[in-house]
Amino acid sequence: MTEPSDAPEIGATAALLFEAGALRNLPRTGWAYDGVPRSDAENVAEHSHRASFIGAALAAMEGADPARTGLLCMLHDLHETRTGDQTPVTRRYVSTADPRKVTADQVAGAHPAVASIVTGAVEEFEAGETLEARCARDADKLDCLYRALEYQAIGYPTGGKIERCRAALITDSARSVAGAAIAMDPGQWQRTLLGTPPLP
């Protein structure tokens, strides 16, 4: 296989898309501390997927741009293909590279428009200054809270993650959704649906 010689940025972009797929094989490592075996641990891509939906929902509730927020969520952990998923425990002892620097390296050589949207989204997420970034950062924490509730429901301890994630939320919408989620059974959505008559 060779890179197209007339458009090297297309080859670099194609490689970047392969790299993004590697997040499917990267487990979220913090759950191991709570006794969740690797076979049951979510991967980074799974986390990014629901965080993107949560972010879009929070943005809609907060009056921010749902599409922009979803993009920030989707790309916020892309750098972990190169650094791994670092937990708060790990970060007490190991300095990790700035996600913005890793991202710049990841997109070097890619199509300029692709590089621009990726680096811009990561910069905005890391700065945390826009309403979209605040919603995205809340979505990151809220997805962790949701996953902790799901693990707790099947018998795994969560090591205080529910409380820590809830305490880190910034927006009113995220706090309200967290409170509602904590008060319900994670499987309630399907039991409610199965208790209603089928659609005609």
Side-chain angles (χ1 to χ4, degrees):
M1 296 287 190
T2 59
E3 182 178 289
S5 58
D6 58 336
E9 73 270 9
I10 300 302
T13 301
L16 176 64
L17 300 180
F18 271 124
E19 181 174 351
L23 293 175
R24 292 183 179 125
N25 303 316
L26 183 66
R28 295 260 290 166
T29 55
W31 299 115
Y33 299 143
D34 300 321
V36 177
R38 185 171 283 242
S39 59
D40 288 345
E42 67 176 336
N43 62 51
V44 176
E46 290 167 332
H47 160 66
S48 296
H49 170 75
R50 184 164 57 184
S52 297
F53 183 38
I54 292 171
L58 294 179
M61 296 166 73
E62 289 286 317
D65 181 345
R68 181 68 183 171
T69 305
L71 180 68
L72 301 186
C73 293
M74 182 180 67
L75 296 173
H76 81 283
D77 280 338
L78 181 62
H79 66 280
E80 292 185 0
T81 60
R82 300 190 181 194
T83 65
D85 178 40
Q86 303 296 319
T87 70
V89 172
T90 307
R91 287 191 292 269
R92 286 176 63 97
Y93 307 101
V94 178
S95 295
T96 58
D98 184 327
R100 290 166 282 209
K101 291 182 179 178
V102 178
T103 301
D105 200 35
Q106 286 175 302
V107 302
H111 189 286
V114 174
S116 177
I117 64 161
V118 175
T119 56
V122 172
E123 172 62 41
E124 185 175 347
F125 180 89
E126 291 298 322
E129 294 171 355
T130 64
L131 182 53
E132 287 76 15
R134 290 194 295 274
C135 288
R137 291 163 78 94
D138 271 0
D140 181 33
K141 297 298 183 192
L142 196 50
D143 177 64
C144 184
L145 181 148
Y146 263 72
R147 198 66 184 120
L149 290 169
E150 290 161 345
Y151 281 136
Q152 184 176 266
I154 57 174
Y156 292 119
T158 58
K161 284 186 175 69
I162 295 167
E163 296 78 13
R164 285 195 303 278
C165 289
R166 188 179 192 180
L169 298 173
I170 300 166
T171 63
D172 291 340
S173 297
R175 289 190 194 114
S176 329
V177 170
I182 289 168
M184 71 175 59
D185 175 353
Q188 180 176 323
W189 68 271
Q190 62 179 314
R191 282 186 287 282
T192 301
L193 177 64
L194 294 174
T196 60
L199 294 174

